[in-house]
mmCIF file of all heavy atoms in Angstrom:
data_model
loop_
_atom_site.group_PDB
_atom_site.id
_atom_site.type_symbol
_atom_site.label_atom_id
_atom_site.label_comp_id
_atom_site.label_asym_id
_atom_site.label_seq_id
_atom_site.Cartn_x
_atom_site.Cartn_y
_atom_site.Cartn_z
ATOM 1 N N PRO A 128 -1.295 -17.604 7.666
ATOM 2 C CA PRO A 128 -1.933 -17.633 8.961
ATOM 3 C C PRO A 128 -1.050 -18.041 10.162
ATOM 4 O O PRO A 128 -1.251 -17.571 11.302
ATOM 5 C CB PRO A 128 -3.117 -18.393 8.803
ATOM 6 C CG PRO A 128 -2.927 -19.228 7.434
ATOM 7 C CD PRO A 128 -1.940 -18.446 6.668
ATOM 8 N N GLU A 129 -0.244 -19.005 9.913
ATOM 9 C CA GLU A 129 0.593 -19.637 11.016
ATOM 10 C C GLU A 129 1.549 -18.480 11.569
ATOM 11 O O GLU A 129 1.605 -18.329 12.727
ATOM 12 C CB GLU A 129 1.443 -20.763 10.524
ATOM 13 C CG GLU A 129 1.177 -21.962 11.282
ATOM 14 C CD GLU A 129 1.845 -23.126 10.591
ATOM 15 O OE1 GLU A 129 2.986 -23.259 10.654
ATOM 16 O OE2 GLU A 129 1.089 -23.943 9.957
ATOM 17 N N GLU A 130 2.249 -17.842 10.682
ATOM 18 C CA GLU A 130 3.231 -16.758 11.014
ATOM 19 C C GLU A 130 2.409 -15.580 11.783
ATOM 20 O O GLU A 130 2.847 -15.085 12.864
ATOM 21 C CB GLU A 130 3.985 -16.264 10.009
ATOM 22 C CG GLU A 130 4.977 -17.134 9.386
ATOM 23 C CD GLU A 130 4.609 -17.938 8.236
ATOM 24 O OE1 GLU A 130 3.303 -18.186 8.226
ATOM 25 O OE2 GLU A 130 5.385 -18.305 7.426
ATOM 26 N N ALA A 131 1.239 -15.302 11.144
ATOM 27 C CA ALA A 131 0.557 -14.132 11.584
ATOM 28 C C ALA A 131 0.073 -14.285 13.005
ATOM 29 O O ALA A 131 -0.179 -13.244 13.747
ATOM 30 C CB ALA A 131 -0.677 -13.864 10.689
ATOM 31 N N ALA A 132 -0.228 -15.533 13.472
ATOM 32 C CA ALA A 132 -0.667 -15.730 14.824
ATOM 33 C C ALA A 132 0.325 -15.316 15.917
ATOM 34 O O ALA A 132 -0.057 -15.046 16.969
ATOM 35 C CB ALA A 132 -1.065 -17.205 14.990
ATOM 36 N N SER A 133 1.635 -15.166 15.514
ATOM 37 C CA SER A 133 2.677 -14.916 16.563
ATOM 38 C C SER A 133 2.957 -13.427 16.475
ATOM 39 O O SER A 133 3.740 -12.900 17.312
ATOM 40 C CB SER A 133 3.808 -15.756 16.229
ATOM 41 O OG SER A 133 4.462 -15.298 15.037
ATOM 42 N N TRP A 134 2.377 -12.642 15.541
ATOM 43 C CA TRP A 134 2.784 -11.189 15.424
ATOM 44 C C TRP A 134 2.127 -10.344 16.425
ATOM 45 O O TRP A 134 0.977 -10.733 16.963
ATOM 46 C CB TRP A 134 2.561 -10.659 14.045
ATOM 47 C CG TRP A 134 3.172 -11.390 12.918
ATOM 48 C CD1 TRP A 134 4.371 -12.035 13.054
ATOM 49 C CD2 TRP A 134 2.707 -11.570 11.629
ATOM 50 N NE1 TRP A 134 4.824 -12.564 11.729
ATOM 51 C CE2 TRP A 134 3.820 -12.274 10.926
ATOM 52 C CE3 TRP A 134 1.737 -11.113 10.827
ATOM 53 C CZ2 TRP A 134 3.714 -12.554 9.486
ATOM 54 C CZ3 TRP A 134 1.548 -11.399 9.515
ATOM 55 C CH2 TRP A 134 2.623 -12.089 8.785
ATOM 56 N N HIS A 135 2.622 -9.193 16.710
ATOM 57 C CA HIS A 135 2.022 -8.174 17.609
ATOM 58 C C HIS A 135 1.101 -7.361 16.745
ATOM 59 O O HIS A 135 1.643 -6.388 16.078
ATOM 60 C CB HIS A 135 3.068 -7.434 18.368
ATOM 61 C CG HIS A 135 3.973 -8.306 19.239
ATOM 62 N ND1 HIS A 135 3.731 -8.451 20.535
ATOM 63 C CD2 HIS A 135 4.973 -9.139 18.891
ATOM 64 C CE1 HIS A 135 4.757 -9.236 21.085
ATOM 65 N NE2 HIS A 135 5.499 -9.654 20.077
ATOM 66 N N TRP A 136 -0.232 -7.526 16.736
ATOM 67 C CA TRP A 136 -0.987 -6.833 15.855
ATOM 68 C C TRP A 136 -1.507 -5.581 16.636
ATOM 69 O O TRP A 136 -1.908 -5.608 17.818
ATOM 70 C CB TRP A 136 -2.235 -7.658 15.517
ATOM 71 C CG TRP A 136 -2.047 -8.710 14.489
ATOM 72 C CD1 TRP A 136 -1.597 -10.042 14.810
ATOM 73 C CD2 TRP A 136 -2.095 -8.556 13.098
ATOM 74 N NE1 TRP A 136 -1.373 -10.625 13.562
ATOM 75 C CE2 TRP A 136 -1.580 -9.912 12.519
ATOM 76 C CE3 TRP A 136 -2.418 -7.529 12.240
ATOM 77 C CZ2 TRP A 136 -1.637 -10.176 11.162
ATOM 78 C CZ3 TRP A 136 -2.324 -7.820 10.797
ATOM 79 C CH2 TRP A 136 -1.924 -9.052 10.320
ATOM 80 N N VAL A 137 -1.399 -4.372 15.981
ATOM 81 C CA VAL A 137 -1.847 -3.112 16.537
ATOM 82 C C VAL A 137 -2.759 -2.351 15.591
ATOM 83 O O VAL A 137 -2.776 -2.683 14.396
ATOM 84 C CB VAL A 137 -0.587 -2.257 16.886
ATOM 85 C CG1 VAL A 137 0.278 -2.932 18.053
ATOM 86 C CG2 VAL A 137 0.244 -1.936 15.737
ATOM 87 N N ASP A 138 -3.507 -1.443 16.150
ATOM 88 C CA ASP A 138 -4.440 -0.710 15.386
ATOM 89 C C ASP A 138 -3.989 0.542 14.801
ATOM 90 O O ASP A 138 -4.752 1.224 14.007
ATOM 91 C CB ASP A 138 -5.812 -0.464 16.189
ATOM 92 C CG ASP A 138 -6.515 -1.740 16.440
ATOM 93 O OD1 ASP A 138 -6.634 -2.593 15.539
ATOM 94 O OD2 ASP A 138 -7.063 -1.924 17.542
ATOM 95 N N SER A 139 -2.867 0.973 15.133
ATOM 96 C CA SER A 139 -2.444 2.314 14.649
ATOM 97 C C SER A 139 -0.888 2.410 14.775
ATOM 98 O O SER A 139 -0.148 1.576 15.354
ATOM 99 C CB SER A 139 -2.970 3.479 15.482
ATOM 100 O OG SER A 139 -2.344 3.364 16.855
ATOM 101 N N HIS A 140 -0.382 3.374 13.919
ATOM 102 C CA HIS A 140 1.059 3.489 14.013
ATOM 103 C C HIS A 140 1.606 4.029 15.317
ATOM 104 O O HIS A 140 2.667 3.621 15.756
ATOM 105 C CB HIS A 140 1.535 4.668 12.848
ATOM 106 C CG HIS A 140 1.308 4.055 11.442
ATOM 107 N ND1 HIS A 140 0.096 3.933 10.804
ATOM 108 C CD2 HIS A 140 2.196 3.555 10.629
ATOM 109 C CE1 HIS A 140 0.304 3.369 9.621
ATOM 110 N NE2 HIS A 140 1.567 3.190 9.453
ATOM 111 N N ALA A 141 0.768 4.857 16.019
ATOM 112 C CA ALA A 141 1.215 5.328 17.372
ATOM 113 C C ALA A 141 1.304 4.103 18.239
ATOM 114 O O ALA A 141 2.272 4.019 19.087
ATOM 115 C CB ALA A 141 0.186 6.340 17.753
ATOM 116 N N GLU A 142 0.326 3.246 18.163
ATOM 117 C CA GLU A 142 0.363 2.069 19.001
ATOM 118 C C GLU A 142 1.666 1.133 18.785
ATOM 119 O O GLU A 142 2.248 0.602 19.530
ATOM 120 C CB GLU A 142 -0.934 1.193 18.909
ATOM 121 C CG GLU A 142 -0.996 0.183 20.023
ATOM 122 C CD GLU A 142 -2.267 -0.751 19.805
ATOM 123 O OE1 GLU A 142 -3.149 -0.365 18.863
ATOM 124 O OE2 GLU A 142 -2.360 -1.809 20.424
ATOM 125 N N ALA A 143 1.785 1.023 17.375
ATOM 126 C CA ALA A 143 3.023 0.197 16.955
ATOM 127 C C ALA A 143 4.335 0.913 17.599
ATOM 128 O O ALA A 143 5.300 0.076 18.022
ATOM 129 C CB ALA A 143 3.205 0.309 15.390
ATOM 130 N N ALA A 144 4.408 2.257 17.604
ATOM 131 C CA ALA A 144 5.544 2.807 18.264
ATOM 132 C C ALA A 144 5.699 2.515 19.683
ATOM 133 O O ALA A 144 6.850 2.103 20.155
ATOM 134 C CB ALA A 144 5.505 4.291 17.956
ATOM 135 N N ARG A 145 4.558 2.548 20.390
ATOM 136 C CA ARG A 145 4.647 2.205 21.847
ATOM 137 C C ARG A 145 5.067 0.754 21.982
ATOM 138 O O ARG A 145 5.980 0.462 22.998
ATOM 139 C CB ARG A 145 3.297 2.444 22.473
ATOM 140 C CG ARG A 145 2.959 3.953 22.707
ATOM 141 C CD ARG A 145 1.755 4.165 23.610
ATOM 142 N NE ARG A 145 0.466 3.604 23.112
ATOM 143 C CZ ARG A 145 -0.296 4.191 22.214
ATOM 144 N NH1 ARG A 145 0.034 5.359 21.793
ATOM 145 N NH2 ARG A 145 -1.383 3.629 21.716
ATOM 146 N N VAL A 146 4.491 -0.181 21.411
ATOM 147 C CA VAL A 146 4.784 -1.543 21.471
ATOM 148 C C VAL A 146 6.233 -1.897 21.191
ATOM 149 O O VAL A 146 6.996 -2.616 21.827
ATOM 150 C CB VAL A 146 3.781 -2.404 20.723
ATOM 151 C CG1 VAL A 146 4.256 -3.925 20.649
ATOM 152 C CG2 VAL A 146 2.331 -2.320 21.223
ATOM 153 N N THR A 147 6.705 -1.298 20.032
ATOM 154 C CA THR A 147 8.147 -1.427 19.541
ATOM 155 C C THR A 147 9.072 -0.981 20.657
ATOM 156 O O THR A 147 9.982 -1.603 20.885
ATOM 157 C CB THR A 147 8.286 -0.770 18.248
ATOM 158 O OG1 THR A 147 7.370 -1.126 17.333
ATOM 159 C CG2 THR A 147 9.720 -1.097 17.726
ATOM 160 N N ALA A 148 8.647 0.176 21.236
ATOM 161 C CA ALA A 148 9.651 0.781 22.302
ATOM 162 C C ALA A 148 9.948 -0.188 23.397
ATOM 163 O O ALA A 148 11.005 -0.301 24.011
ATOM 164 C CB ALA A 148 9.056 2.129 22.804
ATOM 165 N N GLU A 149 8.845 -1.005 23.664
ATOM 166 C CA GLU A 149 8.962 -1.898 24.745
ATOM 167 C C GLU A 149 9.726 -3.222 24.503
ATOM 168 O O GLU A 149 10.438 -3.738 25.296
ATOM 169 C CB GLU A 149 7.541 -2.301 25.295
ATOM 170 C CG GLU A 149 7.007 -1.175 26.291
ATOM 171 C CD GLU A 149 5.547 -1.506 26.630
ATOM 172 O OE1 GLU A 149 5.081 -2.641 26.613
ATOM 173 O OE2 GLU A 149 4.886 -0.492 26.950
ATOM 174 N N LEU A 150 9.501 -3.704 23.292
ATOM 175 C CA LEU A 150 10.041 -5.042 23.008
ATOM 176 C C LEU A 150 11.365 -5.019 22.138
ATOM 177 O O LEU A 150 11.802 -6.099 21.806
ATOM 178 C CB LEU A 150 8.998 -5.923 22.437
ATOM 179 C CG LEU A 150 8.168 -5.664 21.181
ATOM 180 C CD1 LEU A 150 9.142 -5.813 19.918
ATOM 181 C CD2 LEU A 150 7.055 -6.477 21.133
ATOM 182 N N SER A 151 11.827 -3.835 21.803
ATOM 183 C CA SER A 151 12.997 -3.825 20.861
ATOM 184 C C SER A 151 13.965 -2.763 21.158
ATOM 185 O O SER A 151 13.521 -1.628 21.735
ATOM 186 C CB SER A 151 12.378 -3.662 19.524
ATOM 187 O OG SER A 151 13.425 -3.271 18.563
ATOM 188 N N GLN A 152 15.227 -2.958 20.911
ATOM 189 C CA GLN A 152 16.244 -1.904 21.121
ATOM 190 C C GLN A 152 16.689 -1.447 19.694
ATOM 191 O O GLN A 152 17.091 -0.285 19.548
ATOM 192 C CB GLN A 152 17.566 -2.502 21.835
ATOM 193 C CG GLN A 152 17.357 -2.425 23.264
ATOM 194 C CD GLN A 152 16.819 -1.052 23.850
ATOM 195 O OE1 GLN A 152 17.485 -0.090 23.455
ATOM 196 N NE2 GLN A 152 15.844 -1.023 24.608
ATOM 197 N N ARG A 153 16.654 -2.350 18.723
ATOM 198 C CA ARG A 153 17.223 -2.084 17.376
ATOM 199 C C ARG A 153 16.124 -2.529 16.289
ATOM 200 O O ARG A 153 16.252 -3.454 15.586
ATOM 201 C CB ARG A 153 18.525 -2.836 17.076
ATOM 202 C CG ARG A 153 19.584 -2.453 18.179
ATOM 203 C CD ARG A 153 20.849 -3.277 17.812
ATOM 204 N NE ARG A 153 21.611 -2.789 16.756
ATOM 205 C CZ ARG A 153 22.432 -1.813 16.878
ATOM 206 N NH1 ARG A 153 22.875 -1.400 18.127
ATOM 207 N NH2 ARG A 153 23.201 -1.344 15.804
ATOM 208 N N PRO A 154 15.041 -1.794 16.359
ATOM 209 C CA PRO A 154 13.892 -2.171 15.330
ATOM 210 C C PRO A 154 14.266 -1.826 13.894
ATOM 211 O O PRO A 154 14.885 -0.934 13.643
ATOM 212 C CB PRO A 154 12.723 -1.299 15.899
ATOM 213 C CG PRO A 154 13.419 -0.075 16.464
ATOM 214 C CD PRO A 154 14.671 -0.592 17.043
ATOM 215 N N PHE A 155 13.686 -2.680 13.081
ATOM 216 C CA PHE A 155 13.672 -2.436 11.548
ATOM 217 C C PHE A 155 12.418 -1.886 11.193
ATOM 218 O O PHE A 155 11.319 -2.495 11.208
ATOM 219 C CB PHE A 155 13.831 -3.875 10.946
ATOM 220 C CG PHE A 155 14.012 -3.793 9.434
ATOM 221 C CD1 PHE A 155 14.244 -2.676 8.779
ATOM 222 C CD2 PHE A 155 13.887 -5.013 8.746
ATOM 223 C CE1 PHE A 155 14.530 -2.689 7.321
ATOM 224 C CE2 PHE A 155 14.053 -5.019 7.373
ATOM 225 C CZ PHE A 155 14.396 -3.942 6.681
ATOM 226 N N LEU A 156 12.401 -0.516 10.918
ATOM 227 C CA LEU A 156 11.144 0.295 10.660
ATOM 228 C C LEU A 156 10.860 0.249 9.143
ATOM 229 O O LEU A 156 11.525 0.805 8.395
ATOM 230 C CB LEU A 156 11.152 1.676 11.132
ATOM 231 C CG LEU A 156 11.268 1.915 12.625
ATOM 232 C CD1 LEU A 156 11.247 3.424 12.858
ATOM 233 C CD2 LEU A 156 10.115 1.166 13.321
ATOM 234 N N THR A 157 9.750 -0.449 8.731
ATOM 235 C CA THR A 157 9.458 -0.494 7.313
ATOM 236 C C THR A 157 7.954 -0.168 7.215
ATOM 237 O O THR A 157 7.198 -0.859 6.704
ATOM 238 C CB THR A 157 9.673 -1.966 6.828
ATOM 239 O OG1 THR A 157 8.832 -2.851 7.471
ATOM 240 C CG2 THR A 157 11.167 -2.433 6.965
ATOM 241 N N VAL A 158 7.666 1.012 7.672
ATOM 242 C CA VAL A 158 6.206 1.488 7.644
ATOM 243 C C VAL A 158 5.919 2.534 6.658
ATOM 244 O O VAL A 158 4.942 3.187 6.610
ATOM 245 C CB VAL A 158 5.777 2.053 9.097
ATOM 246 C CG1 VAL A 158 5.762 0.865 10.151
ATOM 247 C CG2 VAL A 158 6.716 3.130 9.530
ATOM 248 N N GLY A 159 6.912 2.853 5.856
ATOM 249 C CA GLY A 159 6.749 3.872 4.756
ATOM 250 C C GLY A 159 7.271 5.212 5.467
ATOM 251 O O GLY A 159 7.670 5.281 6.603
ATOM 252 N N ARG A 160 7.151 6.223 4.587
ATOM 253 C CA ARG A 160 7.744 7.476 4.886
ATOM 254 C C ARG A 160 6.683 8.500 5.769
ATOM 255 O O ARG A 160 7.036 9.184 6.544
ATOM 256 C CB ARG A 160 8.144 8.227 3.664
ATOM 257 C CG ARG A 160 8.687 9.569 3.720
ATOM 258 C CD ARG A 160 9.133 9.984 2.383
ATOM 259 N NE ARG A 160 8.069 9.844 1.313
ATOM 260 C CZ ARG A 160 7.856 10.641 0.307
ATOM 261 N NH1 ARG A 160 8.544 11.778 0.258
ATOM 262 N NH2 ARG A 160 6.858 10.334 -0.555
ATOM 263 N N GLN A 161 5.498 8.335 5.242
ATOM 264 C CA GLN A 161 4.408 9.255 5.741
ATOM 265 C C GLN A 161 4.237 9.275 7.073
ATOM 266 O O GLN A 161 3.739 10.348 7.632
ATOM 267 C CB GLN A 161 3.134 9.045 4.868
ATOM 268 C CG GLN A 161 3.402 9.265 3.397
ATOM 269 C CD GLN A 161 2.077 9.258 2.689
ATOM 270 O OE1 GLN A 161 1.123 10.131 2.880
ATOM 271 N NE2 GLN A 161 1.815 8.315 1.804
ATOM 272 N N ARG A 162 4.180 8.122 7.823
ATOM 273 C CA ARG A 162 3.746 8.034 9.298
ATOM 274 C C ARG A 162 4.986 7.954 10.231
ATOM 275 O O ARG A 162 4.765 7.592 11.396
ATOM 276 C CB ARG A 162 2.866 6.816 9.341
ATOM 277 C CG ARG A 162 1.723 6.803 8.446
ATOM 278 C CD ARG A 162 0.745 7.987 8.526
ATOM 279 N NE ARG A 162 -0.026 7.804 9.845
ATOM 280 C CZ ARG A 162 -1.232 7.119 10.035
ATOM 281 N NH1 ARG A 162 -1.745 6.603 8.963
ATOM 282 N NH2 ARG A 162 -1.735 7.141 11.133
ATOM 283 N N LEU A 163 6.253 8.205 9.688
ATOM 284 C CA LEU A 163 7.386 8.041 10.511
ATOM 285 C C LEU A 163 7.335 9.054 11.802
ATOM 286 O O LEU A 163 7.963 8.592 12.769
ATOM 287 C CB LEU A 163 8.675 8.260 9.661
ATOM 288 C CG LEU A 163 9.186 7.083 9.002
ATOM 289 C CD1 LEU A 163 10.590 7.599 8.220
ATOM 290 C CD2 LEU A 163 9.526 5.980 9.934
ATOM 291 N N GLY A 164 6.708 10.110 11.516
ATOM 292 C CA GLY A 164 6.636 11.128 12.618
ATOM 293 C C GLY A 164 6.047 10.531 13.886
ATOM 294 O O GLY A 164 6.238 10.988 14.993
ATOM 295 N N GLU A 165 5.172 9.459 13.701
ATOM 296 C CA GLU A 165 4.545 8.887 14.929
ATOM 297 C C GLU A 165 5.510 7.977 15.607
ATOM 298 O O GLU A 165 5.030 7.443 16.718
ATOM 299 C CB GLU A 165 3.290 8.162 14.427
ATOM 300 C CG GLU A 165 2.195 9.164 13.907
ATOM 301 C CD GLU A 165 1.022 8.429 13.295
ATOM 302 O OE1 GLU A 165 0.404 7.700 14.034
ATOM 303 O OE2 GLU A 165 0.618 8.643 12.081
ATOM 304 N N PHE A 166 6.730 7.773 15.112
ATOM 305 C CA PHE A 166 7.671 6.867 15.847
ATOM 306 C C PHE A 166 8.812 7.528 16.501
ATOM 307 O O PHE A 166 9.503 7.007 17.323
ATOM 308 C CB PHE A 166 8.265 5.844 14.767
ATOM 309 C CG PHE A 166 7.198 4.817 14.381
ATOM 310 C CD1 PHE A 166 6.354 5.249 13.294
ATOM 311 C CD2 PHE A 166 7.106 3.530 14.992
ATOM 312 C CE1 PHE A 166 5.495 4.184 12.843
ATOM 313 C CE2 PHE A 166 6.164 2.727 14.390
ATOM 314 C CZ PHE A 166 5.192 3.001 13.336
ATOM 315 N N THR A 167 9.063 8.834 16.062
ATOM 316 C CA THR A 167 10.287 9.457 16.491
ATOM 317 C C THR A 167 10.409 9.681 17.897
ATOM 318 O O THR A 167 11.443 9.432 18.390
ATOM 319 C CB THR A 167 10.450 10.880 15.678
ATOM 320 O OG1 THR A 167 9.206 11.629 15.855
ATOM 321 C CG2 THR A 167 10.786 10.689 14.180
#
Side-chain angles (χ1 to χ4, degrees):
E129 236 171 76
E130 286 94 333
S133 69
W134 297 336
H135 300 261
W136 288 88
V137 295
D138 288 322
S139 67
H140 289 76
E142 192 187 348
R145 285 193 296 276
V146 170
T147 305
E149 279 173 23
L150 57 76
S151 164
Q152 279 310 308
R153 303 179 76 92
F155 184 15
L156 291 185
T157 63
V158 291
R160 172 177 54 139
Q161 297 189 60
R162 310 294 293 270
L163 273 181
E165 294 177 56
F166 291 84
T167 48

